[in-house]
Amino acid sequence: MSSAQPAHEERQAPDPYEEHPHAEGPHAEGPHEADPHEVEPHEAGPHEGPFTPVPDVAGYLAGRWSIERTVQDLRTGTEGRFHGTADFRPDPAGGALLHVEEGELTWDGTAYPASRTLRLRPRADGSAEIDFADGRPFHDLDLTTGQWTAVHPCSEDRYEGTFTVRSADEWHLEWRVTGPAKRQLLRTRYRRTAG
């Protein structure tokens, strides 16, 4: 990162949902040693079957999931990991599910608390609209075939997310971010938890 950039920019985490340059989260550049014994989140690529069809996105996602995420800055080679939970719970305002993620991001050897909230608005056909917490639109989601690719433009950057349902209790999400400001790859495995 150039020394001409403000110091607060150096503390930004790679974030597939980020629309503003001052979003929360840590960021630092430099080598990151991955644990050689840790299993990567995906055994199969996001475009490889088999897929599990989901006729009702909101019904499928409702509940609590564990999260394992790898985060790669493809410009610098820096890597991080996020471990936590995702709750899809009724929005108190009605008519939607809140998607609340909470956990710990380890980036460049340092652990930070991290969280995210999105809003899932179900449609009558079983698909859904996903919005940012402040109501701005993010992307559509239709898992009737078990897989969906969403594209979200952010200024000159392009966010492409591939959602893959592996079973009734596991789904994967891969975000690729390309453009003049970012080159990132985020891979996440969600597993349903009891309770």
Side-chain angles (χ1 to χ4, degrees):
M1 184 170 283
S2 166
S3 60
Q5 291 180 302
H8 65 271
E9 290 289 352
E10 295 179 16
R11 297 198 41 84
Q12 302 304 307
D15 181 357
Y17 311 126
E18 181 180 354
E19 287 253 304
H20 303 289
H22 307 296
E24 64 193 54
H27 178 77
E29 294 188 9
H32 174 76
E33 295 296 323
D35 182 346
H37 303 291
E38 193 159 16
V39 177
E40 288 297 316
H42 300 291
E43 288 78 15
H47 304 288
E48 300 170 23
F51 309 129
T52 301
V54 172
D56 174 13
V57 169
Y60 173 74
L61 292 175
R64 188 172 179 86
W65 303 78
S66 67
I67 302 172
E68 297 172 48
R69 176 176 295 137
T70 59
V71 183
Q72 295 176 294
D73 184 327
L74 300 176
R75 292 183 191 271
T76 65
T78 308
E79 295 185 6
R81 291 188 180 271
F82 174 85
H83 297 279
T85 59
D87 282 309
F88 289 82
R89 55 185 182 239
D91 184 348
L97 289 179
L98 291 181
H99 171 180
V100 180
E101 294 190 1
E102 298 178 312
E104 184 175 85
L105 173 67
T106 301
W107 188 254
D108 197 31
T110 304
Y112 305 87
S115 63
R116 172 79 52 232
T117 300
L118 298 172
R119 182 172 283 107
L120 183 150
R121 293 187 291 124
R123 296 181 178 133
D125 65 1
S127 67
E129 296 175 48
I130 310 300
D131 295 334
F132 293 100
D134 63 7
R136 289 174 298 126
F138 188 11
H139 62 82
D140 292 336
L141 184 58
D142 183 348
L143 294 174
T144 53
T145 66
Q147 187 176 54
W148 180 258
T149 298
V151 175
H152 175 75
C154 175
S155 187
E156 295 182 39
D157 294 328
R158 181 178 192 268
Y159 291 65
E160 182 174 312
T162 302
F163 297 75
T164 306
V165 181
R166 294 296 180 191
S167 72
D169 297 318
E170 182 173 329
W171 59 285
H172 298 176
L173 173 55
E174 178 180 286
W175 281 105
R176 287 188 174 272
V177 187
T178 56
K182 297 178 184 177
R183 237 178 97 228
Q184 300 169 358
L185 176 62
L186 298 96
R187 290 179 169 160
T188 308
R189 179 166 56 193
Y190 293 83
R191 288 178 169 159
R192 194 180 302 277
T193 63

